Amino acid sequence: MDNSHIPQTLPRFSATFDPHTLAEIRRAAATGIYDIRGGGTKRALPHFDDLLFLGASVSRYPLEGYREKCATDVWLGTRFAKKPIHLKTPITIAGMSFGALSAQAKEALGRGATIAGTSTTTGDGGMTPEERGQSQTLVYQYLPSRYGMNPADIRKADAIEVVIGQGAKPGGGGMLLGQKISDRVAAMRTLPKGIDQRSACRHPDWTGPDDLEIKIEELREITDWEKPIYVKVGATRPYYDVALAVKSGADVVVLDGMQGGTAATQDVFIEHVGIPILAAIRPAVQALQDLGMHRKVQLIVSGGIRNGADVAKALALGADAVAIGTAALVALGDNDPHLEAEYNALGTTAGAYDDWHEGRDPAGITTQDPVLAARLDPVAAGRRLANYLAVLTLEAQTIARACGKRHLHNLEPEDLVALTIEAAAMARVPLAGTNWIPGQQF
Amino acid sequence: MPVVDLAVSSKRDLNAALHALPANTNETHWHIANPDGAHALAAGVDAPVTIEIDGHAGYYCAGMNSQATIVVNGNVGVGVAENMMSGRVHVKGDASQAAGATAHGGLLVIDGNASARCGISMKGVDIVVKGSIGPMSAFMAQAGNLVVLGDAGEALGDSLYETRIFVRGAVKSLGADCIEKDLRPEHEEILAKLLHEAGVEGVSPTEFRRYGSARGLYNFHVDNASAY
Ligand SMILES: Cc1cc2nc3c(=O)[nH]c(=O)nc-3n(C[C@H](O)[C@H](O)[C@H](O)COP(=O)(O)O)c2cc1C
C-alpha cells in the first residue's frame, strides 16, 4: 500500500529531554564525572533586558546630550577608610585570578582599567607585579585559600575585598586544574606543580558574622585603617547578607548574581545555585536603606553586565557601581570569531568556548601556556578594554541624560518599568503600561 | 623599653606605633600591659623587635607578623599568628582555634594546648604545640612542619598537601588522604632542631610518629569521589 500521501509525524525532540540534556546524560555515563567549565549561566534568566527606561516626556525634561554634563564618578570606601577610592566611571573590573588568567591578560586588564579611570581586582592566587604595575587602582582579594596572601601586598593594595562567595557558585570553593599549574602559579600558591588546586569554600580562621567583624577589624588594624574593605557575596539571601556585611564593618558590599562568570566550576552549580542579579539588587538596597546606610556603604553589583543599559539599570535600582568579568575578557579577545578554526579543533565554536579550566585558550587569556599566552598583546588588548569601558560609560550617560539626570547616581527605580511580570516582581518596578508591582500592597 | 598600658592607651595607637617602627629602631623590646583579650594585638608588625604581651590576647594576635618576636604571657583567641610570614610567636598559655592558620613562615610555639584547626592551610610555618591539638588540625595544610607533643583530635591532616605532621601522643583519627609515614633520619633532624628552638628538653625525636599526604587526591579521579 502506498502511504506516501499520509502526513508523517515529524521527529520531535522532548522539551524536557532536549538534545543538550541527552548528550549530558551520555557524557556522564561515559565518564563518571560532572561537567566543569568556565563562564556564567548559559540558560535564559530574568535579566536587565526585561527592564526599560521611560525617558523624559511632558512631565520630565531631558538634559541636552552634547552640552549638559552627566557625571559618572564614584567614591568607594567612605565609611571608615582614611583613603577611599575615587573612580571616574562606576564600571570596575571584577576579581579574576592570575592562574585562571595569564599574566598578559591580567596586565591588559590593568592597562585598560587605568586608561578608563577605574579599578581592577586580583583573585585567588595573589597579586602579580604585572597587575600592580599597570593598575592605578587595585583591589586585593582576601579569599578562603589565602593563596599568595601576604602583608606586603596588602600594603600595596588600594582596597581589600573579603570574598565570601561568588554568584557562579555561592557556597562553593574553587578549583584550578593541574594543567594550569605552571611553575610560577605553583610557587605563588606554595603547592607542587601539576596538581589540582582546591580552594576551600570557607575561610580558615573565621565563621559567621561575629567573627567576620573581628577579621575586618584585624585587616583595618594591619593597614592602619587606610584602605577600604569590601565584602563580596554571591547573590542568595541579599537582604540578610548585606545587612550582616554592614554590621561586620564593610565599607563596600559586592553582590554577584548567578549569571556571574567563573574560571572553573561545575555546570550544575553555575546553572542551579544562587539568584539572578535582577532579583538581588532591590533587597540589597532595601537592607542598606533600612540601616540608614544607602550611599554610605557602597554597593557594587555584577553578573552578566554587557552594555551601558545594564549599567544604567543596575544604578537605577540603587547600586553605586558595577563590576564586569566576562565582558572584559571578551573585550580583550576571548571567544573571538577570527580564531574559529582553533575553537573547532577544540571541539567547539567561537562564542561557545568555555573550557577555560583546561588552559588551552587560543586567545591566550585563560591559559598558562607561554606560547598561547604570548599571543595576547597586553597593550592592544588593554586599549580594546579601555574603548569598551568608554562605550559602556557613554551609553549609560546617554540613558541618564534622556531621563534628565546630571549624575548616573540620580537614576532611580521610578525611571524604570518591566516587560515581564517576573521582572516587575524582582526589580520592584511596575509592569510597563500599568502601575502594578507584583507583591506590593496598596 | 616602651611599656604600653592598654588600660590607658588605645590598641589603635599601639598598633600604629608598632607599624611605624623603622628597621633600625632602638626601641627593640616592648611590653604591653592589660591586654584584656583585645583583638588584633600586634598584628601586622614588620620590624625585628620583641613584643611581650602580659595577659590574655583575643583573636588574631600577631596576625601577619613579619620579623618580630611576640611573646604572650597568657592565652590567645582564634587565629594567633595567622598568615605569619617570619619571626617568632610564643604563647605561654593555650590557644583557641586556627592557630597559625595559613602562615607562610616563622615559628609558632604554644606551651599549652591548641584547639580545632590548628595549622589549617599552613603554607610554610613551623608550629610546635607542647600540649594537644583539637580536631581538623592541618586541614589542607600545604607546607611547613606541625609538631605536637601531646595528642591530636579527629581528622588530622584532612586533604593534606605537603606539610609534615609529627605527633608524640595519640591521634584520634586521620583525615582523608593523610597517612602515617616512616620517620627517617632527615625528619629526626628537623624535629630535633624545632624542639630545640621551641625550648623543649628531654624529649627525643624518636618518640614521634610522622604523618603526611598519601597524595591520592592530588588529581581528581572519579573513584575517589567519596573522599571529597
Ligand atoms: C576567569 C574568571 C576568573 C574569576 N576568578 C575569580 C576569583 O578569583 N575571585 C572572585 O571572587 N571571583 C572570580 N570570578 C568572578 C568575577 O569576580 C565576577 O564575580 C564575575 O565574573 C561577574 O560576572 P560577569 O562575568 O558576568 O561579569 C572570576 C570570573 C572569571 C570569568
Side-chain angles (χ1 to χ4, degrees):
Chain A
M1 204 173 72
D2 178 14
N3 288 341
S4 63
H5 65 285
I6 302 175
Q8 297 289 304
T9 301
L10 289 175
R12 183 180 180 189
F13 287 107
S14 162
T16 307
F17 289 91
D18 64 355
H20 175 78
T21 305
L22 296 175
E24 279 308 292
I25 292 172
R26 289 186 198 105
R27 198 197 48 73
T31 63
I33 182 168
Y34 41 45
D35 183 33
I36 293 177
R37 65 174 178 87
T41 45
K42 292 201 161 184
R43 61 179 163 139
L45 290 166
H47 199 33
F48 293 121
D49 286 340
D50 302 324
L51 301 181
L52 296 172
F53 281 100
L54 289 174
S57 57
V58 180
S59 60
R60 311 269 165 109
Y61 55 91
L63 295 190
E64 183 55 64
Y66 300 98
R67 300 186 59 85
E68 290 175 306
K69 194 165 164 52
C70 173
T72 61
D73 67 316
V74 60
W75 284 93
L76 299 167
T78 50
R79 183 186 187 191
F80 288 123
K82 280 189 221 159
K83 295 185 178 167
I85 287 173
H86 189 216
L87 303 178
K88 286 190 192 146
T89 174
I91 306 152
T92 65
I93 306 300
M96 293 181 276
S97 68
F98 168 67
L101 299 187
S102 63
Q104 286 86 339
K106 288 299 273 178
E107 178 182 339
L109 292 173
R111 287 178 178 275
T114 298
I115 297 171
T118 190
S119 60
T120 63
T121 312
T122 65
D124 212 356
M127 184 188 288
T128 63
E130 288 94 333
E131 184 176 32
R132 176 62 282 189
Q134 297 304 333
S135 300
Q136 196 184 351
T137 306
L138 181 59
V139 183
Y140 188 35
Q141 284 200 330
Y142 190 75
L143 295 118
S145 72
R146 312 276 167 87
Y147 288 139
M149 167 56 50
N150 74 66
D153 286 344
I154 282 202
R155 291 186 195 104
K156 282 185 218 150
D158 299 295
I160 300 164
E161 182 169 302
V162 179
V163 179
I164 294 170
Q166 236 179 282
K169 47 175 176 177
M175 190 148 34
L176 193 62
L177 295 189
Q179 301 91 300
K180 289 180 82 169
I181 313 297
S182 65
D183 287 323
R184 184 175 177 198
V185 173
M188 278 180 72
R189 298 178 182 221
T190 332
L191 282 172
K193 195 182 166 188
I195 72 170
D196 297 345
Q197 300 195 348
R198 298 158 281 174
S199 299
C201 66
R202 291 204 307 263
H203 281 260
D205 55 356
W206 63 269
T207 27
D210 296 333
D211 283 6
L212 175 58
E213 187 169 352
I214 305 172
K215 176 49 77 177
I216 288 178
E217 184 193 346
E218 182 206 9
L219 294 171
R220 289 202 191 279
E221 282 294 323
I222 287 173
T223 55
D224 291 312
W225 290 73
E226 285 182 352
K227 300 175 199 298
I229 298 195
Y230 302 11
V231 171
K232 176 173 180 175
V233 293
T236 57
R237 300 172 186 83
Y239 183 85
Y240 295 105
D241 287 342
V242 169
L244 289 169
V246 171
K247 178 252 172 205
S248 303
D251 289 306
V252 175
V253 179
V254 182
L255 181 66
D256 190 26
M258 77 176 287
Q259 296 97 331
T262 169
T265 300
Q266 298 90 332
D267 177 80
V268 71
F269 213 145
I270 298 174
E271 297 285 357
H272 298 281
V273 185
I275 65 172
I277 193 63
L278 184 71
I281 301 177
R282 289 308 291 276
V285 172
Q286 184 74 52
L288 293 170
Q289 287 168 338
D290 289 352
L291 294 167
M293 285 293 181
H294 191 214
R295 307 282 185 223
K296 293 181 186 152
V297 168
Q298 287 81 28
L299 178 68
I300 301 178
V301 303
S302 57
I305 288 182
R306 306 151 297 176
N307 53 45
D310 291 349
V311 175
K313 289 169 188 174
L315 298 191
L317 293 176
D320 296 273
V322 303
I324 58 168
T326 305
L329 300 186
V330 173
L332 297 188
D334 172 65
N335 266 296
D336 198 291
H338 86 272
L339 295 166
E340 179 63 6
E342 296 190 54
Y343 289 122
N344 292 163
L346 293 170
T348 183
T349 181
Y353 174 65
D354 59 12
D355 286 328
W356 297 350
H357 57 292
E358 290 179 351
R360 294 188 291 169
D361 182 2
I365 295 171
T366 56
T367 183
Q368 295 302 320
D369 178 329
V371 177
L372 292 174
R375 290 181 174 185
L376 188 77
D377 174 354
V379 178
R383 184 71 248 176
R384 287 194 292 275
L385 176 62
N387 290 342
Y388 172 62
L389 288 167
V391 170
L392 291 185
T393 309
L394 285 168
E395 287 179 344
Q397 282 174 303
T398 301
I399 287 172
R401 283 202 188 87
C403 296
K405 313 294 186 189
R406 296 186 149 273
H407 197 292
L408 292 182
H409 289 150
N410 295 347
L411 288 164
E412 53 197 335
E414 288 69 23
D415 294 313
L416 292 168
V417 292
L419 279 171
T420 65
I421 296 172
E422 287 90 343
M426 292 178 188
R428 304 183 191 170
V429 300
L431 188 66
T434 77
N435 56 10
W436 181 44
I437 302 177
Q440 296 211 350
Q441 318 288 327
F442 294 98
Chain B
M1 185 176 78
V3 178
V4 179
D5 184 351
L6 289 177
V8 292
S9 54
S10 76
K11 168 177 78 187
R12 181 77 286 275
D13 291 344
L14 166 69
N15 281 336
L18 292 172
H19 297 166
L21 290 174
N24 59 355
T25 178
N26 52 18
E27 294 181 319
T28 55
H29 200 127
W30 291 63
H31 264 278
I32 300 170
N34 293 309
D36 207 17
H39 303 308
L41 282 178
V45 178
D46 186 9
V49 297
T50 297
I51 301 161
E52 278 199 64
I53 299 173
D54 294 322
H56 306 310
Y59 281 42
Y60 311 129
C61 176
M64 299 204 191
N65 181 48
S66 300
Q67 301 191 67
T69 296
I70 298 173
V71 180
V72 185
N73 294 309
N75 303 323
V76 292
V78 172
V80 62
E82 67 87 14
N83 215 87
M84 172 158 63
M85 302 306 291
S86 61
R88 180 187 165 107
V89 174
H90 187 168
V91 179
K92 299 284 182 76
D94 295 319
S96 180
Q97 299 185 37
T102 79
H104 292 249
L107 175 67
L108 169 62
V109 179
I110 296 164
D111 286 355
N113 302 307
S115 180
R117 299 179 151 227
C118 177
I120 183 171
S121 288
M122 56 192 274
K123 299 176 188 341
V125 67
D126 292 318
I127 303 177
V128 179
V129 182
K130 296 183 189 170
S132 297
I133 58 172
M136 286 303 278
S137 287
F139 174 61
M140 290 181 96
Q142 297 173 218
N145 298 290
L146 172 61
V147 180
V148 184
L149 278 78
D151 303 332
E154 287 160 349
L156 178 69
D158 195 283
S159 305
L160 189 63
Y161 289 105
E162 294 293 305
T163 292
R164 297 184 204 90
I165 306 175
F166 303 97
V167 184
R168 190 165 71 138
V171 173
K172 190 144 192 209
S173 66
L174 295 175
D177 211 32
C178 181
I179 54 170
E180 184 173 349
K181 296 184 168 182
D182 290 341
L183 188 76
R184 296 195 300 264
E186 69 259 35
H187 305 121
E188 289 178 20
E189 234 171 81
I190 294 170
L191 266 170
K193 179 171 158 280
L194 289 175
L195 291 170
H196 174 74
E197 284 176 8
V200 177
E201 276 165 29
V203 174
S204 162
T206 55
E207 295 173 40
F208 290 80
R209 288 163 175 248
R210 178 169 76 104
Y211 304 89
S213 178
R215 304 190 179 98
L217 301 180
Y218 273 19
N219 291 97
F220 183 88
H221 192 277
V222 62
D223 295 332
N224 292 335
S226 63
Y228 289 98

